[in-house]
Amino acid sequence: MSSKAGARYAKSLLDLSKEQNAVEEVKNDMVFFEKVVDDNSELEAILKNPIVPLDKKQGILDGIFAGKVHAITQSFLKLVVSKGRGAILFDTAKQFVQQYNAINGIVTAEVTSASPLTDANRAEVVSLVKKELNASQVLIKEKVNADLIGGFILKVGDKQFDASIASGLTKLKKEFAN
Protein backbone atom coordinates (compact mmCIF):
# COMPACT_ATOMS: atom_id res chain seq x y z
CA MET A 1 0.00 0.00 0.00
CA SER A 2 2.80 2.36 0.89
CA SER A 3 4.30 1.89 -2.58
CA LYS A 4 1.13 3.04 -4.36
CA ALA A 5 0.76 6.04 -2.08
CA GLY A 6 4.46 6.82 -2.47
CA ALA A 7 4.12 6.68 -6.26
CA ARG A 8 1.13 9.05 -6.19
CA TYR A 9 2.87 11.51 -3.89
CA ALA A 10 6.01 11.31 -6.05
CA LYS A 11 3.99 12.00 -9.21
CA SER A 12 2.36 15.01 -7.56
CA LEU A 13 5.73 16.34 -6.45
CA LEU A 14 7.17 15.75 -9.92
CA ASP A 15 4.26 17.61 -11.54
CA LEU A 16 4.61 20.51 -9.10
CA SER A 17 8.37 20.74 -9.63
CA LYS A 18 7.79 20.79 -13.42
CA GLU A 19 5.33 23.67 -13.03
CA GLN A 20 7.86 25.56 -10.93
CA ASN A 21 10.84 24.73 -13.22
CA ALA A 22 12.66 23.07 -10.34
CA VAL A 23 12.72 19.40 -11.39
CA GLU A 24 16.51 19.01 -11.15
CA GLU A 25 16.70 20.69 -7.74
CA VAL A 26 13.86 18.59 -6.32
CA LYS A 27 15.35 15.39 -7.80
CA ASN A 28 18.67 16.22 -6.12
CA ASP A 29 16.77 16.86 -2.87
CA MET A 30 15.07 13.45 -3.11
CA VAL A 31 18.44 11.76 -3.69
CA PHE A 32 19.80 13.69 -0.69
CA PHE A 33 16.78 12.68 1.42
CA GLU A 34 17.25 9.01 0.47
CA LYS A 35 20.94 9.16 1.41
CA VAL A 36 20.23 10.80 4.77
CA VAL A 37 17.59 8.17 5.64
CA ASP A 38 19.87 5.34 4.42
CA ASP A 39 22.67 6.65 6.63
CA ASN A 40 20.36 7.18 9.65
CA SER A 41 17.93 4.31 10.17
CA GLU A 42 16.66 6.07 13.31
CA LEU A 43 15.20 8.83 11.13
CA GLU A 44 13.09 6.35 9.17
CA ALA A 45 11.99 4.72 12.43
CA ILE A 46 10.92 8.11 13.82
CA LEU A 47 9.00 9.00 10.65
CA LYS A 48 7.18 5.65 10.72
CA ASN A 49 6.43 5.71 14.45
CA PRO A 50 2.81 6.83 15.05
CA ILE A 51 3.58 7.63 18.70
CA VAL A 52 6.05 10.42 17.83
CA PRO A 53 4.08 13.69 17.63
CA LEU A 54 3.81 15.29 14.17
CA ASP A 55 5.35 18.57 15.35
CA LYS A 56 8.37 16.68 16.70
CA LYS A 57 8.79 14.86 13.34
CA GLN A 58 8.52 18.23 11.57
CA GLY A 59 11.10 19.76 13.90
CA ILE A 60 13.54 16.93 13.20
CA LEU A 61 13.10 17.28 9.43
CA ASP A 62 13.47 21.06 9.66
CA GLY A 63 16.64 20.64 11.69
CA ILE A 64 18.15 18.32 9.09
CA PHE A 65 16.89 19.80 5.81
CA ALA A 66 16.06 23.50 6.39
CA GLY A 67 18.23 25.65 4.16
CA LYS A 68 19.70 22.58 2.42
CA VAL A 69 16.77 21.75 0.11
CA HIS A 70 14.59 23.67 -2.35
CA ALA A 71 11.51 25.47 -0.97
CA ILE A 72 9.22 23.04 -2.84
CA THR A 73 10.89 20.08 -1.13
CA GLN A 74 10.72 21.76 2.28
CA SER A 75 7.01 22.51 1.83
CA PHE A 76 6.35 19.00 0.57
CA LEU A 77 8.05 17.39 3.60
CA LYS A 78 6.08 19.66 5.92
CA LEU A 79 2.76 18.90 4.17
CA VAL A 80 3.23 15.12 4.15
CA VAL A 81 4.23 15.03 7.83
CA SER A 82 1.37 17.35 8.83
CA LYS A 83 -1.07 14.91 7.17
CA GLY A 84 0.34 12.07 9.28
CA ARG A 85 1.96 10.37 6.26
CA GLY A 86 5.62 10.71 7.30
CA ALA A 87 6.00 6.93 7.05
CA ILE A 88 5.84 7.10 3.24
CA LEU A 89 8.43 9.87 2.74
CA PHE A 90 11.33 7.47 2.10
CA ASP A 91 9.28 5.46 -0.40
CA THR A 92 8.10 8.70 -2.04
CA ALA A 93 11.71 9.86 -2.49
CA LYS A 94 12.65 6.53 -4.14
CA GLN A 95 9.56 6.64 -6.36
CA PHE A 96 10.32 10.23 -7.37
CA VAL A 97 13.82 9.30 -8.53
CA GLN A 98 12.47 6.25 -10.41
CA GLN A 99 9.83 8.36 -12.18
CA TYR A 100 12.40 11.05 -12.99
CA ASN A 101 14.73 8.41 -14.45
CA ALA A 102 11.93 6.84 -16.51
CA ILE A 103 10.92 10.20 -18.00
CA ASN A 104 14.54 11.02 -18.86
CA GLY A 105 15.47 7.60 -20.28
CA ILE A 106 17.90 6.86 -17.46
CA VAL A 107 18.38 3.17 -16.71
CA THR A 108 20.13 1.62 -13.71
CA ALA A 109 22.17 -1.51 -14.40
CA GLU A 110 23.43 -3.61 -11.51
CA VAL A 111 26.60 -5.51 -12.36
CA THR A 112 27.91 -8.19 -10.01
CA SER A 113 31.35 -9.48 -10.98
CA ALA A 114 34.10 -11.63 -9.50
CA SER A 115 36.50 -8.65 -9.53
CA PRO A 116 36.06 -4.89 -9.91
CA LEU A 117 35.12 -3.74 -13.43
CA THR A 118 37.74 -2.04 -15.56
CA ASP A 119 36.90 1.20 -17.36
CA ALA A 120 36.68 -0.78 -20.62
CA ASN A 121 34.23 -3.30 -19.05
CA ARG A 122 32.13 -0.47 -17.65
CA ALA A 123 32.00 1.29 -21.04
CA GLU A 124 31.03 -1.97 -22.75
CA VAL A 125 28.17 -2.56 -20.29
CA VAL A 126 26.94 1.03 -20.73
CA SER A 127 27.04 0.74 -24.52
CA LEU A 128 25.24 -2.64 -24.49
CA VAL A 129 22.47 -1.46 -22.17
CA LYS A 130 21.99 1.81 -24.08
CA LYS A 131 21.68 -0.11 -27.35
CA GLU A 132 19.35 -2.83 -26.05
CA LEU A 133 17.02 -0.55 -24.08
CA ASN A 134 17.28 2.70 -26.07
CA ALA A 135 18.42 4.45 -22.91
CA SER A 136 19.85 7.94 -23.00
CA GLN A 137 21.93 7.34 -19.88
CA VAL A 138 22.98 4.28 -17.90
CA LEU A 139 23.84 4.37 -14.20
CA ILE A 140 25.92 1.41 -13.06
CA LYS A 141 25.80 -0.05 -9.57
CA GLU A 142 28.75 -2.37 -9.11
CA LYS A 143 29.08 -5.26 -6.68
CA VAL A 144 31.97 -7.66 -6.30
CA ASN A 145 31.28 -11.31 -5.41
CA ALA A 146 34.34 -13.57 -5.52
CA ASP A 147 32.06 -16.65 -5.43
CA LEU A 148 31.27 -16.03 -9.11
CA ILE A 149 34.85 -17.18 -9.91
CA GLY A 150 34.76 -15.12 -13.14
CA GLY A 151 32.31 -13.44 -15.49
CA PHE A 152 29.42 -11.26 -14.35
CA ILE A 153 25.70 -10.99 -13.65
CA LEU A 154 23.88 -8.03 -15.20
CA LYS A 155 20.48 -6.92 -13.86
CA VAL A 156 18.42 -4.18 -15.45
CA GLY A 157 14.96 -3.78 -13.99
CA ASP A 158 13.42 -7.23 -13.79
CA LYS A 159 15.75 -8.75 -16.42
CA GLN A 160 18.91 -10.65 -15.56
CA PHE A 161 21.75 -11.95 -17.70
CA ASP A 162 24.07 -14.41 -15.95
CA ALA A 163 27.46 -14.91 -17.61
CA SER A 164 29.30 -16.06 -14.49
CA ILE A 165 31.56 -19.09 -14.39
CA ALA A 166 29.85 -20.30 -11.20
CA SER A 167 26.51 -20.35 -13.04
CA GLY A 168 28.07 -22.24 -15.95
CA LEU A 169 29.52 -24.83 -13.56
CA THR A 170 26.14 -25.28 -11.87
CA LYS A 171 24.49 -25.88 -15.25
CA LEU A 172 27.19 -28.42 -16.13
CA LYS A 173 26.65 -30.27 -12.83
CA LYS A 174 22.92 -30.51 -13.56
CA GLU A 175 23.56 -31.83 -17.07
CA PHE A 176 25.96 -34.51 -15.76
CA ALA A 177 23.46 -35.45 -13.03
CA ASN A 178 20.83 -36.16 -15.68
Side-chain angles (χ1 to χ4, degrees), residues 32-33 36 43 46-47 53-82 89:
F32 176 55
F33 182 84
V36 169
L43 178 59
I46 288 169
L47 290 172
L54 299 180
D55 60 333
K56 187 162 245 159
K57 290 179 185 182
Q58 187 58 55
I60 291 168
L61 289 176
D62 283 344
I64 297 170
F65 297 106
K68 296 178 185 164
V69 295
H70 194 277
I72 292 172
T73 305
Q74 189 70 34
S75 297
F76 178 77
L77 294 174
K78 187 173 286 195
L79 176 69
V80 173
V81 169
S82 73
L89 279 174

Side-chain angles (χ1 to χ4, degrees), residues 36-111:
V36 169
V37 174
D38 274 341
D39 293 346
N40 303 292
S41 58
E42 302 87 23
L43 178 59
E44 187 174 18
I46 288 169
L47 290 172
K48 288 183 174 183
N49 190 336
I51 297 171
V52 177
L54 299 180
D55 60 333
K56 187 162 245 159
K57 290 179 185 182
Q58 187 58 55
I60 291 168
L61 289 176
D62 283 344
I64 297 170
F65 297 106
K68 296 178 185 164
V69 295
H70 194 277
I72 292 172
T73 305
Q74 189 70 34
S75 297
F76 178 77
L77 294 174
K78 187 173 286 195
L79 176 69
V80 173
V81 169
S82 73
K83 298 290 184 189
R85 302 298 304 254
I88 68 166
L89 279 174
F90 185 62
D91 186 53
T92 301
K94 287 196 284 190
Q95 293 281 342
F96 183 95
V97 173
Q98 286 176 354
Q99 291 176 23
Y100 172 90
N101 287 347
I103 289 169
N104 292 295
I106 301 170
V107 176
T108 301
E110 187 177 297
V111 180

Side-chain angles (χ1 to χ4, degrees), residues 23 45 48 86 175:
V23 175
K48 288 183 174 183
E175 283 181 33

Side-chain angles (χ1 to χ4, degrees), residues 116-163:
L117 294 177
T118 64
D119 289 339
N121 295 139
R122 206 172 287 110
E124 194 173 331
V125 168
V126 167
S127 137
L128 176 74
V129 172
K130 276 185 177 181
K131 179 181 167 195
E132 291 296 318
L133 298 176
N134 269 346
S136 63
Q137 185 180 350
V138 178
L139 304 174
I140 295 185
K141 289 186 179 177
E142 296 180 39
K143 293 182 181 177
V144 175
N145 180 352
D147 293 341
L148 296 180
I149 303 169
F152 64 94
I153 299 172
L154 172 64
K155 286 184 190 174
V156 180
D158 59 352
K159 296 179 179 134
Q160 177 173 309
F161 175 72
D162 190 341

